Amino acid sequence: MKQYNYSDLTKGQIQKLVQRNVDPANEIRAIVEDVIAHVQQNGDSALFDYALKFDKVELDKLDLDKDELIEIASAVTTEQKAALEVAYNNIYKFHQTQLKTEDRVETMPGVTCWRELRPIEKVGLYIPGGSAVLPSTFLMLGIPAQIAGCNEIVVCSPPQKNGKVNAFIAYVALLLGIDKIYLAGGSQAIAAMAYGTQTITKVDKIFGPGNQFVTKAKTIIQSTTTTAIDMPAGPSEVLVIADETANPLYVAADLLAQAEHGMDSQSILVCTSNKIAEDVLAELDKQLCVLPRAEIAKVALENSYIVVTNNLDEAMDFSNVYAPEHLILATTNWQQQTKNIINAGSVFLGNLTPESAGDYASGTNHTLPTSSYARAYSGVSVDSFVKKITFQHITPEGIQNIGPSVEILAELEGLHAHKNAVAVRRGPQTP
């Protein structure tokens, strides 16, 4: 990992340092645009082509039904089922509290305004299945969709080498009451859910993380179709802020937990001394060599770095510019720093709170904004799966109270029909 001293970096150098997953030559865009066009024009046929090309699987159909999911899920052990059920219950409990009815507000006598929730009717869930199969992502997306009450949940996940899905994905589908999974991955799955094919239904909004190709497809379809997306959630990342109270063993483990996601993941350490950096690097060497995904993690670490600051305040300043997907405060003094967090997807406080807990089972959602999008986006929640429709009702008293102001405002904007729509309701006014 490269190492930098915060004091030596200019503002321009910091801005360059925090950039990630850029596509300056538009090479990824060009590939994804071709995939989208092929799916849009050829539907299922294109999905069969891409399964063979990218997944190296020759499919005879694009979906798995409930009976097939039950058969596949039978491979999950009792212990594994119990762990998935703990995660399900905690995630459900946390997200259920987000479904709230808002109060009606009388803005002036006789004028009442309020909002009501309505579920998005058709949602698409993309569950990655490349170098790592992620049933946890299925829980993170399926549970809030379930709580919100979405009428149709379309699930796409890349086929495994046997032309099926992973047993854990199948079991989660059954937990969620979802009886069909479509065998499509990558940007082609995003295109299929955005435009619809002979087999896959067009949806209103697409959810789920993925690689740079998936992320690029989501951003393209959001601007070219009527299908919305949750957020630009691309290759995963973590930023760990550590001071002298941190445990280098834990910090190294957290950095590696992120790095093993994929070669394009990023693990950043921002620490308050060179000694901490040295100790963490020594621990990384010890832990990396025994990881089954060591080669993947090693490449990710080569694209990661360490920033040494003079204090925690400087560390937090850098973090807010980076705007990490995951932020870990590896310090016993985290209570003094939480108020300074401006940009982050999900925050893990103290030395005993690993990101892994949030990734799987603490209850919070792990589908989060990456690549500095935490500046403007929140992570997935029940709110992501609903629309909030405003309502208002005006009584005879209310139209008389609010009418004069509306008429004056309409007139000053030169919109006389707007004024008249109020005036005719108020009736002739006596001088």
Side-chain angles (χ1 to χ4, degrees), residues 265-286:
S265 295
Q266 197 167 58
S267 298
I268 308 302
L269 172 61
V270 184
C271 55
T272 56
S273 74
N274 287 309
K275 175 69 164 57
I276 298 168
E278 291 167 6
D279 291 346
V280 171
L281 285 171
E283 281 293 339
L284 282 173
D285 287 340
K286 291 179 188 176

Side-chain angles (χ1 to χ4, degrees), residues 133-308:
V133 178
L134 302 177
S136 56
T137 296
F138 200 175
L139 289 170
M140 297 291 176
L141 299 177
I143 290 172
Q146 183 185 55
I147 292 170
C150 298
N151 289 341
E152 187 169 354
I153 301 174
V154 174
V155 180
C156 286
S157 191
Q160 303 296 290
K161 297 304 180 185
N162 62 359
K164 308 292 184 182
V165 292
N166 180 277
F168 306 119
I169 296 288
Y171 185 71
V172 169
L174 300 176
L175 272 180
L176 293 167
I178 292 171
D179 56 12
K180 193 179 291 287
I181 292 179
Y182 297 100
L183 299 167
S187 54
Q188 61 270 27
I190 305 302
M193 291 187 282
Y195 291 100
T197 71
Q198 293 88 340
T199 299
I200 298 176
T201 303
K202 174 182 170 15
V203 301
D204 300 312
K205 189 172 183 180
I206 295 173
F207 297 79
N211 59 24
Q212 293 186 64
F213 295 92
V214 168
T215 305
K216 184 64 70 176
K218 287 171 67 178
T219 57
I220 291 172
I221 65 97
Q222 180 174 234
S223 61
T224 57
T225 73
T226 58
T227 300
I229 66 170
D230 52 353
M231 73 191 84
S236 199
E237 61 201 33
V238 69
L239 187 148
V240 181
I241 292 178
D243 66 4
E244 67 280 355
T245 67
N247 186 324
L249 173 69
Y250 300 168
V251 173
D254 288 333
L255 295 172
L256 288 170
Q258 193 61 59
E260 73 173 352
H261 266 296
M263 295 180 182
D264 52 3
S265 295
Q266 197 167 58
S267 298
I268 308 302
L269 172 61
V270 184
C271 55
T272 56
S273 74
N274 287 309
K275 175 69 164 57
I276 298 168
E278 291 167 6
D279 291 346
V280 171
L281 285 171
E283 281 293 339
L284 282 173
D285 287 340
K286 291 179 188 176
Q287 296 181 37
L288 179 62
C289 62
V290 298
L291 288 178
R293 294 170 65 86
E295 291 305 313
I296 291 172
K298 184 178 180 181
V299 174
L301 289 177
E302 288 171 357
N303 296 319
S304 303
Y305 54 85
I306 299 171
V307 176
V308 179

